[in-house]
């Protein structure tokens, strides 16, 4: 293991862990903002109950995001001094703007969002939620601008010492891959968020608890998923075609395509063997890749062999990560469409197997996001600034032992945190919202907790249960 | 001619902005790290609940200034970023680990019932370790780091020095003083009495360590001694230690009898004086005695681009941060079932 490998492992691990939380907070923050708005405008208690419930879950994830993000902002200096020296003129300002317009905005209003409901009015509370949600979005915008510059650099030239100097800020921020990356990531956050809300609501529907709140949340989540899932597939296709134009080697690795081909087929599954420079056990569908990549029957797609093996990324990693991401995307679309069919038939809240399915899909968005980032980051190797700065020239002059020991510490600490988050997050989620809305007329009692007691016992217990439920 | 003037003054302006951000970080996060430092010494569970509640809505904004300092350094003085961070690899990493535990403790402690003490310890130990690491970095900075060919050229433990340990203990005392001052202001009754008691002890430690660190760095780093004791500079610099002494006396007299915000405000002044002393000792270097602010500054077009953001956005940031403190003004009250429910 060299210091480069260890630093790469450390960055991959800490960045991969961090990315979970912005994904989580972008989606949930906008959901809470929507609920705060609905509570403000309609005054329906169900929205307030849901807002408070999702805010508690949001708070846990938000803390994780802040803390793991601070780590990254310093890790670039500690582990990647060569990169910092080369790219600071270009990327430093983007990080400053991220702090100024995003982190401060989130931090300045998250206190009011989480703890200020009793101290400010409904309108200002909605405004605080909106600012936190916007902050999360701005943060993604700046960091993806920085990442896109590293993938498709423009607007800057390197001098004899390899230090980049900016010639055009507009080009630096709005690089050719930036819009696709940003849209793809933001949509992924909304999609992941909608399946978290759907999964947790499905759990309560399945248990026949908090029925009114869970129905409201489940319905909202399935509408959002129905919009986000197909949008995400269209955005992914656009992003893929941009990669074909800008980073052909990465795209060839995603497709497992070794030779430059006219009208390439889609490799459904295979084992890409880097030493033999070909696929083993391949299952191909003729011309299909040509159709979705070039939108023509006989388009030309460059293969991996256009560059020397030393300049190729790790093909199996990129190949399988891409299949995991795309497979989950299609699966989530299928679930969203199934939800629509059930809704049209009036069975969205009553279909037991669909509730189980919604619960099972809860973590899939996160897996797809990590897989997607693996594709984009592993796929551009061996470059840290694509075609300009090699990863091996970007590391710090620090000892292997120091990097190795901090990597082990990160691994242990992050796993403890994740387990704690699951423990506390699950406890809040399973307990559900404090349901203070009045019972609905057509199914008195059914919308409350402790429904079993309501159904089969005496009137005295029924009253008690309603009081308990309303407390 | 004007271009030469720009090349001279613009790095100075940015050095001032970086110093401002570091100052805000130390003053703001210092108070909540300080609450964490004295957390386990508090005698009752309800004291700890109130201590946590008093900083819960603002700690996140305070800590963001740490990110601001780091990102501003890479953007404005990259040499300071890519030389100093590898030089302080271990204390920086250890500080981050400590801040992780401390940060998640806010959320997790509230949810935990039976094992709440685990998160109490994570919060307090995290605060103490993070402060100690900041002290180690500070001490290493005063002593200087080995640089060759524009890159850090030492080993993983070359940051370690006695001065760093002394700075760490001094910072622990100083942050504890600030945290106690904050609690005298935000708490009532028994918690306030506890805060006054601990403020006394913290002040003694802080004053002692400030004197020790000043003398030790003058003795062990000749450049620092030359800066402070050369004639006629000594006349201009003499007010700094004299005012510091006056502030310490005023703090001592005001802890039990003064107005409630007094201890907190004076502890901020004390820290500001300490930072002025630090600037005097280190000026004009980004990397002490290796890279000056003029050699280490970014491209002019990079500085111009961030200055737009700083001029337009930073005042807005400061105003809504002040607003967040204003919303939660007055005595902190702990509600049933959690700090903020």
């Amino acid at each position: 293991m060299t210091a480069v490998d260890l630093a790469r492992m450390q960055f991959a691990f800490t960045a991969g862990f961090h990315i979970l939380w912005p994904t989580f907070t972008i989606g949930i923050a906008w959901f809470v903002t929507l609920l705060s708005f609905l509570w403000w405008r309609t005054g329906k208690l169900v929205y307030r109950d849901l807002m408070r419930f999702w805010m508690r879950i949001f708070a846990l994830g938000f803390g994780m995001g802040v803390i793991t993000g601070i780590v990254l902002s310093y890790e670039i200096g500690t582990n990647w001094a060569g990169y910092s020296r080369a790219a600071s003129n270009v990327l430093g300002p983007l990080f400053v703007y991220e702090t100024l317009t995003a982190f401060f905005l989130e931090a300045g209003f998250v206190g009011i969002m989480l703890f200020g409901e009793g101290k400010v009015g409904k309108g200002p509370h909605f405004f605080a939620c909106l600012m936190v949600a916007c902050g999360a979005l701005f943060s993604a915008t700046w960091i993806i601008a920085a990442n896109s510059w590293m993938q498709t650099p423009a607007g800057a030239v390197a001098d004899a010492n390899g230090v980049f100097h900016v010639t055009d800020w507009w080009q630096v921020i709005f690089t050719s891959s930036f819009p696709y990356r940003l849209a793809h990531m933001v949509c992924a956050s909304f999609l992941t968020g909608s399946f978290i809300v759907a999964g947790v609501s499905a759990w309560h529907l399945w248990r026949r608890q908090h029925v009114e709140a869970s129905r409201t949340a489940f319905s909202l989540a399935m509408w959002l998923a129905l919009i986000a899932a197909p949008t995400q597939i269209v955005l992914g296709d656009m992003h893929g075609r941009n990669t074909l134009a800008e980073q052909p080697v990465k795209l060839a690795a995603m497709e497992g395509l070794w030779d430059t081909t006219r009208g390439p087929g889609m490799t459904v599954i295979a084992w890409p063997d880097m030493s033999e420079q070909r696929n083993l056990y391949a299952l191909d569908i003729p011309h299909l890749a040509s159709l979705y990549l070039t939108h023509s029957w006989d388009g030309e797609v460059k293969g991996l062999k256009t560059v020397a093996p030393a300049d190729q990324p790790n093909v199996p990693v990129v190949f399988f990560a891409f299949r995991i991401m795309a497979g989950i995307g299609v699966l989530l679309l299928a679930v969203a469409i199934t939800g629509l069919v059930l809704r049209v038939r009036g069975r969205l809240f009553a279909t037991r197997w669909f509730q189980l399915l919604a619960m099972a899909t809860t973590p899939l968005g996160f897996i797809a996001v990590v897989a997607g980032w693996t594709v984009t980051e592993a796929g551009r190797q061996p470059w840290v600034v694509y075609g300009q700065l090699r990863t091996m020239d970007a590391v710090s002059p620090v000892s292997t032992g120091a990097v190795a020991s901090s990597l082990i510490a990160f691994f242990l600490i992050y796993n403890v945190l994740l387990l704690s988050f699951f423990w506390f997050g699950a406890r809040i989620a399973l307990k559900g919202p404090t349901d203070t809305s009045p019972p609905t007329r057509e199914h008195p009692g059914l919308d409350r907790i402790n429904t079993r007691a309501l159904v089969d016992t005496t009137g005295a217990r029924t009253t008690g249960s309603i009081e308990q439920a309303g407390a | 001619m004007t271009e030469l003037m720009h090349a001279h003054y613009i790095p100075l302006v940015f050095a001032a902005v970086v110093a401002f951000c570091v100052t805000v970080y130390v003053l703001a996060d210092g108070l909540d790290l300080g609450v964490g430092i004295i957390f386990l010494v508090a005698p009752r569970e309800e004291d700890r609940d109130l201590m946590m509640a008093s900083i819960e809505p603002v700690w996140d904004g305070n800590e963001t200034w740490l990110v601001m300092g780091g990102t501003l350094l890479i953007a404005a003085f990259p040499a300071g970023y890519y030389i100093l961070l590898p030089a302080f690899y271990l204390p920086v990493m250890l500080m981050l680990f400590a801040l992780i535990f401390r940060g998640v403790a806010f959320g997790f402690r509230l949810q935990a019932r039976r094992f709440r003490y685990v998160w109490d310890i994570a919060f307090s130990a995290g605060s103490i370790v993070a402060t100690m690491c900041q002290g180690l970095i500070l001490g290493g900075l005063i002593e200087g780091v080995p640089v060759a060919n524009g890159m850090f050229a030492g080993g993983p433990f070359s940051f370690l020095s006695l001065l760093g340990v002394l700075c760490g203990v001094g910072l622990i005392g100083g942050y504890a003083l600030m945290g106690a001052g904050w609690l005298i202001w935000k708490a009532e009754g028994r918690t306030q009495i506890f805060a006054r008691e601990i403020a006394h002890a913290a002040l003694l430690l802080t004053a002692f360590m400030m004197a020790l660190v000043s003398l030790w760095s003058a003795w062990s780093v000749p450049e620092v001694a030359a800066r402070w004791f050369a004639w006629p500079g000594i006349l201009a610099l003499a007010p700094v230690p004299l005012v510091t002494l006056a502030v310490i006396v005023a703090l001592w007299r005001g802890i039990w009898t003064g107005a409630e915000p007094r201890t907190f405000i004076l502890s901020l002044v004390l820290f500001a004086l300490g930072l002025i002393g630090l600037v005097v000792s280190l000026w004009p270097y980004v990397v002490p005695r290796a890279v000056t602010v003029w050699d280490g500054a970014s491209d002019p077009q990079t500085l111009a681009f961030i200055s737009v953001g700083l001029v337009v956005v930073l005042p807005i940031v400061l105003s809504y941060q002040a607003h967040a403190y204003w919303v939660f003004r007055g005595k902190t009250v702990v509600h049933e079932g959690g700090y903020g429910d």
Side-chain angles (χ1 to χ4, degrees):
Chain A
M1 277 280 177
T2 62
V4 189
D5 295 328
L6 286 168
R8 277 186 65 190
M9 278 172 70
Q10 181 163 319
F11 202 80
F13 180 68
T14 49
F17 188 82
H18 172 71
I19 193 68
L20 301 174
W21 310 105
T23 308
F24 178 83
T25 45
I26 290 173
I28 303 300
W30 281 98
F31 187 59
V32 170
T33 305
L34 174 69
L35 293 167
S36 177
F37 179 78
L38 290 170
W39 160 235
W40 177 33
R41 302 315 303 174
T42 68
K44 280 190 187 169
L45 285 169
V46 64
Y47 292 126
R48 189 197 64 184
D49 298 340
L50 277 173
M51 177 184 79
R52 288 182 179 173
F53 172 59
W54 283 102
M55 224 151 63
R56 281 204 290 278
I57 297 179
F58 169 83
L60 285 184
F62 181 80
M64 301 280 277
V66 170
I67 292 303
T68 53
I70 293 178
V71 168
L72 289 182
S73 72
Y74 280 86
E75 213 171 36
I76 292 171
T78 52
N79 287 358
W80 302 100
Y83 163 77
S84 310
R85 174 153 80 170
S88 59
N89 279 320
V90 185
L91 298 183
L94 307 191
F95 299 147
V96 169
Y97 274 95
E98 185 191 19
T99 312
L100 278 175
T101 62
F103 294 150
F104 275 128
L105 194 65
E106 287 179 289
F109 286 98
V110 76
I112 299 172
M113 173 185 182
L114 297 177
F115 310 108
E117 208 201 317
K119 293 184 187 288
V120 298
K122 288 182 195 171
H125 184 259
F126 161 69
F127 181 76
C129 293
L130 186 66
M131 288 302 106
V132 172
C134 285
L137 214 52
F138 295 161
S139 173
T141 307
W142 287 110
I143 213 70
I144 283 174
N147 182 266
S148 300
W149 184 83
M150 291 160 67
Q151 302 274 356
T152 52
V157 286
D159 64 16
N161 297 319
V163 176
F164 289 95
H165 303 276
V166 173
T167 52
D168 184 345
W169 282 108
W170 187 266
Q171 282 185 27
V172 165
I173 297 168
F174 296 96
T175 54
S176 63
S177 63
F178 168 68
Y180 306 106
R181 262 171 229 290
L182 178 63
H184 200 46
M185 183 65 221
V186 170
C187 193
S189 304
F190 286 135
L191 191 59
T192 304
S194 64
F195 276 95
I196 296 166
V197 174
V200 172
S201 309
W203 160 258
H204 295 296
L205 287 174
W206 196 66
R207 302 247 303 168
R208 303 206 171 94
Q209 294 169 326
H210 323 291
V211 174
E212 193 196 347
S214 305
R215 281 184 178 184
T216 309
F218 194 64
S219 172
L220 282 170
M222 290 317 293
W223 278 127
L224 185 61
L226 193 65
I227 302 165
T231 309
Q232 182 67 337
I233 289 173
V234 172
L235 290 170
D237 173 63
M238 290 162 73
H239 187 188
R241 286 204 291 146
N242 175 266
T243 307
L244 175 72
E246 300 282 350
Q247 296 176 301
V249 179
K250 180 196 282 185
L251 189 101
M254 287 157 66
E255 295 294 335
L257 188 69
W258 296 93
D259 299 291
T260 302
T261 319
R262 292 198 73 83
M266 176 186 155
T267 306
V268 181
I269 199 74
W271 176 258
D273 190 323
M274 290 192 71
S275 57
E276 290 193 35
Q277 297 275 300
R278 69 186 185 89
N279 289 337
L280 308 176
Y281 321 110
L283 172 66
D284 294 343
I285 302 174
H287 290 284
L288 188 57
S290 179
L291 275 181
Y292 63 69
L293 290 173
T294 66
H295 292 200
S296 81
W297 186 253
D298 267 324
E300 186 180 86
V301 178
K302 281 192 180 132
L304 282 156
K305 288 183 191 167
T306 47
V307 295
D311 285 347
Q312 291 169 0
N314 186 318
V315 182
V317 167
V318 180
F319 181 84
F320 288 112
F322 176 66
R323 265 142 198 80
I324 292 170
M325 177 193 74
I328 289 175
V330 172
L331 187 66
L332 294 185
L333 176 68
V335 174
I337 292 172
T338 311
L340 178 69
V341 172
L342 290 172
R343 191 194 295 270
V344 169
R345 292 186 181 167
R347 301 207 31 87
L348 183 63
F349 304 118
T351 312
R352 305 281 280 172
W353 62 263
F354 189 67
Q355 288 157 9
L356 285 175
L357 182 66
M359 283 183 246
T361 52
T362 310
L364 291 186
F366 291 110
I367 297 170
V369 164
V370 171
W373 276 102
T374 305
V375 172
T376 208
E377 297 303 292
R380 56 110 173 259
Q381 295 299 329
W383 304 99
V384 64
V385 178
Y386 199 72
Q388 311 246 4
L389 178 69
R390 282 177 188 272
T391 309
M392 58 178 291
D393 299 324
V395 288
S396 290
V398 290
S399 76
T400 317
V403 187
S405 45
S406 60
L407 173 61
I408 294 167
F410 271 121
F411 185 77
L412 295 176
I413 292 172
Y414 277 12
N415 275 302
V416 168
L417 290 189
L418 196 63
L419 289 176
S420 311
F421 176 82
F422 282 148
W423 177 259
F424 294 117
R427 209 159 64 178
I428 299 173
L430 298 186
K431 205 173 140 215
T434 37
D435 202 348
T436 52
S437 51
T440 51
R441 207 177 302 144
E442 65 271 36
H443 298 296
L446 259 186
D447 292 5
R448 324 301 300 168
I449 56 173
N450 299 329
T451 42
R452 287 182 189 98
L454 283 170
V455 177
D456 61 18
T457 51
T458 61
R461 278 193 67 183
T462 310
T463 324
S465 297
I466 286 173
E467 274 168 16
Q468 190 186 347
Chain B
M1 184 63 206
T2 46
E3 245 175 57
L4 267 176
M5 297 253 297
H6 281 172
H8 184 74
Y9 286 113
I10 288 175
L12 291 186
V13 172
F14 275 90
V17 176
V18 172
F20 173 78
C21 290
V22 170
T23 308
V24 175
Y25 170 72
V26 168
L27 298 184
D29 209 26
L31 84 89
D32 60 61
L33 282 166
V35 170
I37 289 167
I38 60 177
F39 195 65
L40 289 180
V41 197
R44 288 163 298 267
E45 185 72 16
E46 70 238 42
D47 298 330
R48 281 187 285 276
D49 284 344
L50 190 137
M51 288 162 84
M52 207 90 172
S54 73
I55 51 174
E56 171 90 72
V58 292
W59 76 273
D60 181 35
N62 298 342
E63 209 161 285
T64 306
W65 287 93
L66 184 63
V67 181
M68 186 64 195
T71 55
L72 199 57
L73 203 60
I74 187 177
F77 298 104
Y81 188 78
Y82 65 73
I83 296 174
L84 292 177
L85 284 174
F88 296 110
Y89 191 93
L90 291 179
V92 167
M93 284 296 173
L94 194 58
M95 176 183 79
L96 295 175
F97 295 144
L99 290 178
I100 288 171
F101 275 114
R102 177 178 184 275
V104 296
F106 281 96
F108 291 166
R109 182 181 184 273
L110 197 61
Q111 304 299 327
R113 292 283 171 267
R114 245 183 317 161
F115 294 101
R116 178 168 270 201
Y117 68 92
V118 173
W119 299 107
D120 285 352
I121 294 169
F123 176 62
S124 192
S127 305
I128 292 168
V129 172
T131 307
M132 189 70 206
C133 290
Q134 291 178 5
L136 289 172
I137 295 167
L138 182 63
L141 207 59
I142 296 171
E143 299 225 310
V145 301
V147 177
N149 300 324
M151 278 289 197
F152 169 63
F157 291 101
S158 49
F159 71 91
L160 211 54
S161 66
L162 181 61
L163 184 62
V165 177
L166 296 180
C167 286
V169 176
L171 268 187
I172 288 174
Y175 284 173
L177 175 64
M178 224 184 324
W182 169 257
L183 285 174
I184 294 174
W185 191 8
K186 299 295 281 187
E188 287 173 309
R190 294 198 292 183
T191 310
Q192 194 188 44
I193 292 170
F194 156 73
R196 290 187 201 269
E197 282 167 351
I198 205 89
H200 237 126
L203 177 62
L204 284 176
L205 181 65
T206 312
F208 179 68
M209 293 312 295
M210 270 181 114
L212 199 58
V213 165
S214 307
L215 292 176
W216 185 266
S217 47
W219 186 77
S220 69
V221 188
E223 292 91 339
V224 172
R227 178 65 48 79
W228 283 92
F229 300 124
W231 192 263
I234 191 167
L235 283 184
L237 297 176
V240 178
L242 293 179
V243 174
T244 307
L245 195 63
V247 170
I248 290 173
V249 171
L251 268 164
W252 181 260
R253 294 164 62 104
I255 288 175
W256 287 93
T257 52
E260 283 182 340
R262 175 168 162 168
T263 305
F264 178 63
I265 292 168
L266 282 176
S267 67
L268 295 184
V269 176
L270 191 63
F271 258 96
L273 286 162
L275 287 164
I276 291 173
L278 186 69
V279 169
V280 170
S281 296
L282 297 183
W283 182 255
Y285 293 103
V286 176
V287 181
R289 296 174 289 283
V291 182
T292 66
V293 291
W294 297 283
D295 297 334
S298 289
D299 284 354
Q301 63 268 36
T302 299
L303 294 177
F305 184 51
I306 36 180
S307 63
V308 176
L310 291 173
V311 171
V312 177
V313 188
L314 206 54
I316 303 174
V317 167
L318 287 169
S319 67
Y320 64 61
Q321 252 198 353
H323 172 252
Y325 273 91
W326 177 251
V327 167
F328 295 96
R329 69 192 174 277
K331 296 289 181 189
T332 304
V333 185
V334 181
H335 293 277
E336 194 73 27
Y339 327 124
D341 253 13

